[in-house]
Amino acid sequence: MAEFGISPGQHVAVFWDKSSPEEALKQLVDRLQGLTGSEGHVSMGNITQLLQSAHKESSFDVILSGVVPGSTSLHSAEVLAEMARILRPGGCLFLKEPVETTGVNNDKMKTASKLCSALTLSGLVEIKELQREALSPEEVRSVQEHLGYHSDSLLSVHVTGKKPNFEVGSSSQLKLLHKKSSSVKPAVDPAAAKLWTLSANDMEDDSVDLIDSDELLDPEDLKKPDPASLRAPSCGEGKKRKACKNCTCGLAEELEREHSKAQSSQPKSACGNCYLGDAFRCANCPYLGMPAFKPGEQVLLSNSNLQDA
């Protein structure tokens, strides 16, 4: 029992299953009670009922599972997580479980490495494999009867793990070191500064070849482009010519000039009632015989109308 590290006054939990011999379980509990003394406490529970139990978190200093001589208990991920929950910070878990040694992939029996990984995923740290030993004849029969598993490559593995020294869900503020910005500029290498410095004397040096930017232009680049060539292929096409929004090809200005020219060519009304209809028009009104129109609306008059007027 020395490997369990149990001392007086501690709260210990022992978990068993149907494969655990009753006499061996009773002897184990008696020995544990002798180690914990009157101030300590030893609690027993069935592994299959652990998830339905009402244990408070951080209840036990040490948890023993599957360590009853002759038992062959298996531990699921949910069971290991629950054991980690009810274990106190800094507490230890000791368990024994039959494992496969051939690395056969199956859902029923884990390998030793997968068992250690399951303990790590449950939240425990400092996972150690304490011992490997062959199964006793009673344990082999227990595996076959209670687990329905037949294999000649099984070993019994003793593993331990420790809960971290903090509770699940606890938080702590991180102290971040902020560097103060220094007002002193870093030193500049004189050689590097000289390499990237260009003075007026360097421009007069005969060894420096300077290129005239105008020499990079061809005669075609100096020609003023034709505004028609700047228009998009579809710009102004169709029965109704219309400039694009934010027009830059000159079509908007062209349409504006055409509109102003058409308005200036129309005769101006002397009375201002021409748009109301013939009933309000003068005898020599150029709009006689035409329907009424809105004020400001462009009305095109034929040459015959203008001659008659």
Side-chain angles (χ1 to χ4, degrees):
M1 304 305 296
E3 66 272 17
F4 294 148
I6 298 176
S7 58
Q10 288 186 328
H11 291 257
V12 181
V14 179
F15 292 102
W16 53 275
D17 64 357
K18 58 183 179 181
S19 66
S20 304
E22 294 183 8
E23 188 62 27
L25 176 61
K26 185 177 181 303
Q27 293 178 2
L28 175 62
V29 171
D30 291 340
R31 295 171 63 181
L32 293 175
Q33 288 177 344
L35 292 172
T36 57
S38 57
E39 297 181 358
H41 179 73
V42 178
S43 178
M44 293 188 300
N46 194 316
I47 295 179
T48 58
Q49 303 296 325
L50 176 59
L51 299 179
Q52 289 77 33
S53 63
H55 293 297
K56 296 181 180 180
E57 61 183 17
S58 304
S59 300
F60 302 101
D61 299 294
V62 179
I63 294 179
L64 308 178
S65 181
V67 299
V68 179
S71 64
T72 53
S73 304
L74 298 181
H75 305 82
S76 64
E78 294 78 11
V79 168
L80 293 177
E82 180 64 14
M83 290 181 178
R85 186 187 71 84
I86 63 177
L87 195 62
R88 289 178 179 174
C92 294
L93 168 66
F94 296 89
L95 62 83
K96 185 183 72 169
E97 183 173 322
V99 296
E100 268 285 358
T101 57
T102 57
V104 179
N105 292 326
N106 60 79
D107 298 332
K108 182 173 290 188
M109 200 70 63
K110 295 187 286 289
T111 61
S113 60
K114 288 186 177 180
L115 178 60
C116 294
S117 299
L119 287 170
T120 302
L121 293 175
S122 67
L124 301 182
V125 295
E126 301 182 17
I127 310 299
K128 296 179 183 178
E129 183 180 326
L130 300 177
Q131 183 181 358
R132 287 193 183 193
E133 59 184 6
L135 271 66
S136 63
E138 293 80 8
E139 292 173 340
V140 173
R141 287 195 299 269
S142 177
V143 170
Q144 296 174 356
E145 293 176 3
H146 300 289
L147 302 179
Y149 191 82
H150 299 268
S151 177
D152 297 330
S153 57
L154 295 179
L155 287 178
S156 181
V157 177
H158 297 253
V159 183
T160 182
K162 184 179 180 181
K163 186 172 182 177
N165 291 321
F166 53 83
E167 191 51 80
V168 176
S170 59
S171 61
S172 178
Q173 185 177 4
L174 297 178
K175 296 181 180 180
L176 302 178
L177 297 177
H178 299 280
K179 281 188 175 182
K180 295 182 178 179
S181 58
S182 177
S183 58
V184 180
K185 295 184 178 180
V188 180
D189 185 6
K194 183 178 180 181
L195 180 64
W196 293 101
T197 302
L198 187 65
S199 64
N201 296 331
D202 296 329
M203 302 295 293
E204 298 176 356
D205 193 353
D206 296 336
S207 61
V208 178
D209 295 333
L210 299 179
I211 299 176
D212 188 1
S213 58
D214 293 337
E215 295 179 359
L216 301 177
L217 299 176
D218 297 330
E220 294 293 332
D221 298 331
L222 301 176
K223 292 182 179 180
K224 185 177 180 179
D226 184 10
S229 64
L230 301 178
R231 296 182 182 178
S234 60
C235 188
E237 293 183 357
K239 295 182 179 180
K240 185 176 181 181
R241 301 174 67 196
K242 185 177 180 181
C244 304
K245 187 179 181 180
N246 300 327
C247 177
T248 58
C249 68
L251 181 60
E253 291 81 357
E254 181 180 345
L255 294 178
E256 182 66 23
R257 287 194 299 269
E258 293 178 358
H259 181 69
S260 300
K261 185 178 180 181
Q263 284 186 344
S264 61
S265 64
Q266 296 295 325
K268 296 183 180 181
S269 173
C271 62
N273 298 326
C274 300
Y275 70 93
L276 296 175
D278 288 345
F280 300 92
R281 292 169 181 163
C282 304
N284 59 347
C285 182
Y287 296 100
L288 282 174
M290 299 185 66
F293 54 87
K294 295 180 181 180
E297 183 179 359
Q298 182 179 359
V299 179
L300 298 179
L301 298 176
S302 63
N303 293 330
S304 59
N305 291 342
L306 294 175
Q307 292 174 0
D308 294 341

